[in-house]
Amino acid sequence: MLLLGSHVGFKKNTQLLGSVEEALNNGANTFMFYTGAPQNTSRYPISDELTSQAVLTWKENGFDYSKVIVHAPYIINLASDKDLDKFMFSVHFLQEELKRCELLGIQYLVLHPGNHVGIGVEAGISNIARGLNMILGTCQVTLLLETMAGKGTEVGSSLEEIKKIIDLVDDKKHIGVCLDTCHLNDAGYDMKDFDSFLNRFDSLIGLDKIGCVHVNDSKNILGAHKDRHENIGFGTIGFDSLLAIIYHEKLEKVPKILETPYVDRQFCPYKFEIEMIKNKKFDFSLIEKIKKQV
Ligand code: FE
Ligand code: FE
Ligand code: ZN
């Protein structure tokens, strides 16, 4: 069965229960959230009561909680050790994030590998692995390294870089990959020829390592190294190519998560995009419908 959902909120007063309700309202059967603001480190305590209520509600709807995803905050940067305090801060904050995942019963945490900020890709890769080795091996959560667009000094914009990190990680059981279609396009991988990409991935890393797919269209051309997401079917990857990825038989058990932009920065697109994907037919008037929210 297709596992399809989107990024949803996680608010102070409703926490996971609010996330579950948002996902159900979108017609999703999986979802992803940040445990707090992605750009800062303030985190409130997890309410066990809200968590168990949320998981119960989710299961009562017949859905699988085991593949719900948390996204680590993007202030974490394991790739640079130029400032050792900052590096150690990232390590500790990621460790805290893993603990929160365990409290929430979450098994998959998506992480951006990081920015090497000038020290070079190879040094970046070894820092990331060093950081991960300080953390993994003690918990049951699997870390999924996200494929990046290659903007600025981002590490992880090629499969070879991702593979090198994985090779250096000791706890192989708890390391995997999150594919992001917009990032892959912007990094230069043609999503219109997804089978070739998957074959390449399989021979280099292994398909069993794919734990999540972020399904996003892109505002930019192949290889632009930009990272600007577009609504499904309205970008350079296009509806048919994204649909082929979403329904790919080799990725059937992998959750697909939309991270497409809010229209005019205020209208949530997910309910509409999920419906369009389920219908398997592109709707040219989708943006208008999103703006009207009907
Ligand atoms: Fe991400
Ligand atoms: Fe992503
Ligand atoms: Zn992105």
Side-chain angles (χ1 to χ4, degrees), residues 32-73:
M32 179 179 83
F33 61 100
Y34 288 96
T35 65
Q39 71 281 8
N40 69 44
T41 55
S42 77
R43 294 290 181 273
Y44 32 81
I46 304 285
S47 153
D48 289 341
E49 202 189 311
L50 285 169
T51 302
S52 48
Q53 236 182 301
V55 175
L56 191 69
T57 306
W58 189 246
K59 288 181 177 168
E60 274 172 357
N61 277 275
F63 300 143
D64 184 0
Y65 188 68
S66 72
K67 286 178 179 175
V68 172
I69 310 275
V70 164
H71 197 309

Side-chain angles (χ1 to χ4, degrees), residues 32 71 110 112 146-147 178-180 183 214 216 229 259:
M32 179 179 83
H71 197 309
V110 170
H112 293 182
E146 183 165 350
T147 59
C178 169
L179 303 177
D180 185 310
H183 297 175
H214 288 167
N216 304 303
H229 303 188
E259 302 174 302

Side-chain angles (χ1 to χ4, degrees), residues 23-239:
L24 291 174
N25 196 36
N26 288 338
N29 62 2
T30 191
F31 59 95
M32 179 179 83
F33 61 100
Y34 288 96
T35 65
Q39 71 281 8
N40 69 44
T41 55
S42 77
R43 294 290 181 273
Y44 32 81
I46 304 285
S47 153
D48 289 341
E49 202 189 311
L50 285 169
T51 302
S52 48
Q53 236 182 301
V55 175
L56 191 69
T57 306
W58 189 246
K59 288 181 177 168
E60 274 172 357
N61 277 275
F63 300 143
D64 184 0
Y65 188 68
S66 72
K67 286 178 179 175
V68 172
I69 310 275
V70 164
H71 197 309
Y74 41 74
I75 38 149
I76 291 176
N77 182 20
L78 297 179
S80 175
D81 63 349
K82 253 187 182 171
D83 180 335
L84 208 58
D85 286 343
K86 268 193 193 164
F87 175 78
M88 284 315 295
F89 162 81
S90 286
V91 170
H92 289 137
F93 198 62
L94 185 57
Q95 207 158 28
E96 293 297 309
E97 193 68 16
L98 285 167
K99 279 184 199 150
R100 270 190 294 275
C101 286
E102 287 192 318
L103 285 175
L104 289 160
I106 290 289
Q107 297 182 34
Y108 295 96
L109 177 64
V110 170
L111 175 74
H112 293 182
N115 301 292
H116 67 70
V117 290
I119 60 170
V121 177
E122 295 305 319
I125 288 169
S126 85
N127 285 331
I128 294 161
R130 182 156 57 109
L132 293 178
N133 284 336
M134 292 180 192
I135 299 162
L136 294 173
T138 53
C139 77
Q140 291 310 307
V141 181
T142 296
L143 256 169
L144 303 174
L145 298 168
E146 183 165 350
T147 59
M148 302 310 289
K151 126 176 125 339
T153 64
E154 275 173 0
V155 179
S157 64
S158 74
L159 297 185
E160 287 77 6
E161 289 174 21
I162 298 277
K163 180 189 160 53
K164 279 184 188 170
I165 301 168
I166 294 174
D167 283 347
L168 292 169
V169 169
D170 299 326
D171 183 8
K172 297 277 190 286
K173 212 176 148 223
H174 293 109
I175 191 82
V177 180
C178 169
L179 303 177
D180 185 310
T181 56
C182 167
H183 297 175
L184 287 168
N185 170 83
D186 289 18
Y189 292 102
D190 191 357
M191 293 293 100
K192 294 185 169 94
D193 187 10
F194 193 66
D195 280 315
S196 300
F197 170 79
L198 267 195
N199 287 338
R200 177 105 190 100
F201 190 99
D202 198 24
S203 62
L204 216 56
I205 299 169
L207 292 185
D208 59 319
K209 282 286 177 210
I210 302 174
C212 179
V213 180
H214 288 167
V215 183
N216 304 303
D217 217 325
S218 174
K219 286 191 196 298
N220 292 97
I221 56 161
L222 187 68
H225 302 297
K226 283 283 207 292
D227 190 2
R228 290 190 64 214
H229 303 188
E230 180 57 283
N231 292 103
I232 302 300
F234 292 88
T236 57
I237 302 173
F239 188 71

